[in-house]
Amino acid sequence: MSERINGFKASIYPERHPETKKFLHYVGVLDLGHHPNGKRNRPKRKAATKEAVREKLTKLADEIKSGIKVEEADTVIKVATDFVDLLERQGRAPSTIRNHRKNLRNHLVKIGHIKLGDLTVQHVEDWLAEVAESLATGTLRQAHNLLSRAIDHAMRRDKVTRNVSRMATQIKGKPTGRESKSLSPAQVQAIFAIALIHRFAPYVVLAITSGLRVDELNALTWNDLDLEEGAVGTVSVVRADRHSGDTKTAESKRALQLADIAVTTLLAHQKRQRKEFATRGMVVSRETRVFTQEDGSPYRTKAARRDFRHVLRKAKISNPEDWTTRETRTTFVSIMSDAGVRAEDIADMCGHDVKTLFRYYRKQLKPRLRQSANVINSVFGAAA
């Protein structure tokens, strides 16, 4: 039966089984003329009743008039998968893509059957409430963020006019894991005491006294350090051990003055490394990584964590297995904060903004922070 819907010619008819002739459903068709290749442009919608089909065709006609290019096959999971495929083609880190596909497979699939054009805020909030029962807050936010970004991409391609995912209320997941903790000044002093003995201690000393991220420490070369006995030393952060080789953010590129204990320890470490390389017929150059394993290979996160715990055992710090290498950064923030250094100064030294500092290190910051006259040695000189 032919009719007009929002100015478009349309028809609705029953579809039957080709053999049994049993009624299956109603089919609605909008006549949109022809595609550029000459083929007829006749999108279809199906439903159990004529009225339901008419509602779908009306919605489709509205979308076409508003410039939206939604397809019947555009489900949430398809749109999200297409977005992750795009990120992979753009060269995002393999670990990032693996994490996204895990979220697709384990979490977004629970809302994935819904067509993008039918998705509502209520759908998203119901989904968040369901997955929150089994996910930690961080994982829940990752899955929700992936959905929001995928719909943002769909909006840029004129598939939807608004992002209902970003309109949904944020909720927390189950309380799992633990917050980062800080080494105490006494524990820092114990590590400083073995700084010239343990081959990995210089890594830990530099981490505690500079707040560098693990991937920044792993990527340091001797060209990034300016060291001279009895002089002020500096470290320049220009790269990180990441997929792109670049630092995490633009703000992460920075230069820092080194604490005296770091300069002394790094100079001794440089001599040790030269001897280790010489036994293998190798030479330490300005481009050599500052921190290398005994076989000369660069450190990665897992190896750094292993040797960090060796240092803690040597320094007689209890329960070394309870610590991770990234907590040297928490220690830096904690000690600097306790010394009265302003949050803005700590954020600059860490290479991120104050908002991030408060979000991840809130418990380490004093309610009121004062300006410190000496940012480095007044803090770590006392701790040493």
Side-chain angles (χ1 to χ4, degrees):
M1 178 180 178
S2 180
E3 57 182 280
R4 298 195 74 80
I5 295 179
N6 281 5
F8 295 101
K9 186 177 180 180
S11 60
I12 300 175
Y13 58 88
E15 186 166 67
R16 302 180 183 276
H17 193 281
E19 296 179 0
T20 66
K21 305 304 179 183
K22 182 179 179 181
F23 173 78
L24 297 175
H25 45 241
Y26 283 96
V27 178
V29 179
L30 275 187
D31 190 345
L32 303 181
H34 294 79
H35 289 291
N37 61 9
K39 291 186 177 182
R40 294 288 299 275
N41 186 1
R42 303 178 76 237
K44 297 180 179 181
R45 295 294 184 265
K46 299 178 182 180
T49 66
K50 285 185 178 180
E51 187 57 34
V53 170
R54 190 171 287 107
E55 288 179 5
K56 287 189 175 185
L57 291 180
T58 301
K59 182 178 180 181
L60 175 60
D62 290 341
E63 291 169 347
I64 292 170
K65 284 193 169 182
S66 64
I68 301 301
K69 303 171 184 176
V70 67
E71 300 291 340
E72 183 73 358
D74 281 336
T75 60
V76 169
I77 197 66
K78 181 180 184 301
V79 167
T81 300
D82 289 347
F83 175 65
V84 174
D85 290 344
L86 173 65
L87 294 180
E88 186 170 26
R89 292 194 298 273
Q90 290 176 341
R92 297 298 174 89
S95 59
T96 299
I97 299 302
R98 284 195 300 271
N99 189 50
H100 285 334
R101 295 204 186 282
K102 183 178 179 181
N103 277 318
L104 288 173
R105 184 173 61 251
N106 296 339
H107 311 312
L108 267 70
V109 69
K110 296 177 181 178
I111 199 175
H113 64 283
I114 301 174
K115 291 180 174 59
L116 182 62
D118 296 335
L119 188 68
T120 65
V121 175
Q122 188 65 54
H123 284 138
V124 177
E125 291 184 342
D126 289 347
W127 166 68
L128 288 172
E130 178 186 356
V131 295
E133 296 178 0
S134 60
L135 296 184
T137 299
T139 306
L140 180 66
R141 285 175 178 166
Q142 286 181 5
H144 188 193
N145 183 54
L146 176 58
L147 175 62
S148 298
R149 292 172 62 199
I151 298 177
D152 281 342
H153 178 63
M155 287 178 64
R156 291 192 291 271
R157 298 176 65 190
D158 294 328
K159 288 182 176 291
V160 286
T161 56
R162 62 176 187 162
N163 192 333
V164 296
S165 179
R166 295 201 181 278
M167 299 167 66
T169 302
Q170 290 274 3
I171 63 174
K172 293 184 178 181
K174 65 178 185 178
T176 59
R178 65 168 177 81
E179 293 185 3
S180 292
K181 55 186 179 179
S182 168
L183 292 162
S184 69
Q187 290 172 323
V188 171
Q189 188 174 24
I191 292 172
F192 286 176
I194 63 164
L196 300 178
I197 302 172
H198 196 291
R199 72 178 305 278
F200 192 70
Y203 184 112
V204 182
V205 170
L206 179 58
I208 290 174
T209 58
S210 66
L212 266 62
R213 297 179 176 90
V214 173
D215 56 14
E216 294 169 349
L217 290 159
N218 292 345
L220 281 180
T221 68
W222 288 108
N223 197 48
D224 302 322
L225 292 172
D226 184 7
L227 302 174
E228 187 177 341
E229 192 74 50
V232 174
T234 60
V235 57
S236 298
V237 180
V238 295
R239 70 186 69 81
D241 186 24
R242 304 169 67 84
H243 173 64
S244 64
D246 203 355
T247 53
K248 186 173 182 178
T249 65
E251 292 77 15
S252 297
K253 287 183 169 64
R254 59 201 189 278
L256 300 171
Q257 179 180 319
L258 295 175
D260 293 342
I261 181 72
V263 173
T264 301
T265 305
L266 286 167
L267 286 171
H269 168 68
Q270 187 178 55
K271 293 178 182 178
R272 182 189 297 112
Q273 187 186 58
R274 285 171 176 166
K275 290 180 181 179
E276 289 179 349
F277 272 46
T279 60
R280 297 179 177 83
M282 301 163 61
V283 177
V284 175
S285 71
R286 296 293 295 172
E287 302 305 321
T288 301
R289 295 285 181 98
V290 174
F291 301 111
T292 53
Q293 301 186 66
E294 292 188 33
D295 62 359
S297 62
Y299 270 98
R300 295 289 184 262
T301 301
K302 186 176 181 179
R305 181 172 61 244
R306 177 200 65 207
D307 285 0
F308 172 57
R309 290 169 177 171
H310 288 170
V311 171
L312 297 184
R313 290 190 193 95
K314 188 71 175 179
K316 294 182 170 48
I317 293 174
S318 60
N319 303 316
E321 298 301 321
D322 292 343
W323 294 87
T324 61
T325 321
R326 61 183 170 79
E327 287 171 317
T328 55
R329 187 169 165 88
T330 312
T331 299
F332 173 81
V333 172
S334 178
I335 294 178
M336 297 295 276
S337 172
D338 287 345
V341 181
R342 295 189 316 135
E344 291 80 3
D345 293 337
I346 301 174
D348 286 343
M349 288 183 281
C350 286
H352 53 49
D353 56 34
V354 175
K355 181 179 178 181
T356 304
L357 187 77
F358 273 83
R359 178 177 178 181
Y360 292 104
Y361 303 102
R362 179 72 181 183
K363 290 187 177 180
Q364 278 71 45
L365 293 173
K366 288 183 175 180
R368 294 182 181 178
L369 299 177
R370 301 180 304 277
Q371 179 69 46
S372 174
N374 190 316
V375 175
I376 299 294
N377 286 324
S378 65
V379 174
F380 293 107

